[in-house]
Amino acid sequence: MPEIKGRLIWIGEIEEKTEKFKIMDFAIKTDDPQYPQKIKLQASNKICDGIKNLSLGSVINCHYNLKGREHNDKYYATVTCWKYDIINKAP
């Protein structure tokens, strides 16, 4: 499964879609010295709570899936984090 490591730079608000389902967006910045990337990911349910409790600046390794869809001849993709590992927790 694909993984990406980066520093947590933004945590969005949790959106409760139903009583049992919630989602949240967050972003990380990779530490590639030549071409660092800022990447937005989406988390759901338990992962939301875990990410929300981290401080900005924490370094995490995200295991993710890509999800794509089409609507009215426009194409969209979502990077969904289904597991994460804390590499270095910021204070």
Side-chain angles (χ1 to χ4, degrees):
M1 291 303 209
E3 302 175 16
I4 189 164
K5 181 175 117 181
R7 185 169 307 279
L8 196 55
I9 58 170
W10 174 74
I11 301 172
E13 293 299 317
I14 294 175
E15 297 176 45
E16 294 199 25
K17 298 296 187 178
T18 68
E19 255 183 60
K20 296 181 180 183
F21 184 70
K22 58 187 172 183
I23 61 171
M24 179 188 75
D25 292 336
F26 66 98
I28 60 172
K29 182 178 180 181
T30 64
D31 51 359
D32 181 327
Q34 191 170 7
Y35 301 107
Q37 300 292 312
K38 294 179 181 177
I39 300 170
K40 182 176 89 166
L41 296 100
Q42 188 174 85
S44 61
N45 297 329
K46 291 188 302 184
I47 303 296
C48 291
D49 299 329
I51 298 288
K52 196 71 170 175
N53 289 326
L54 291 174
S55 299
L56 295 181
S58 295
V59 177
I60 58 176
N61 188 55
C62 297
H63 303 257
Y64 67 90
N65 289 328
L66 291 175
K67 294 183 179 181
R69 62 199 170 286
E70 180 268 335
H71 180 70
N72 293 335
D73 292 327
K74 292 187 180 183
Y75 294 86
Y76 303 90
T78 303
V79 182
T80 304
C81 175
W82 55 270
K83 177 184 171 187
Y84 70 95
D85 305 304
I86 300 170
I87 306 298
N88 185 4
K89 193 171 185 175

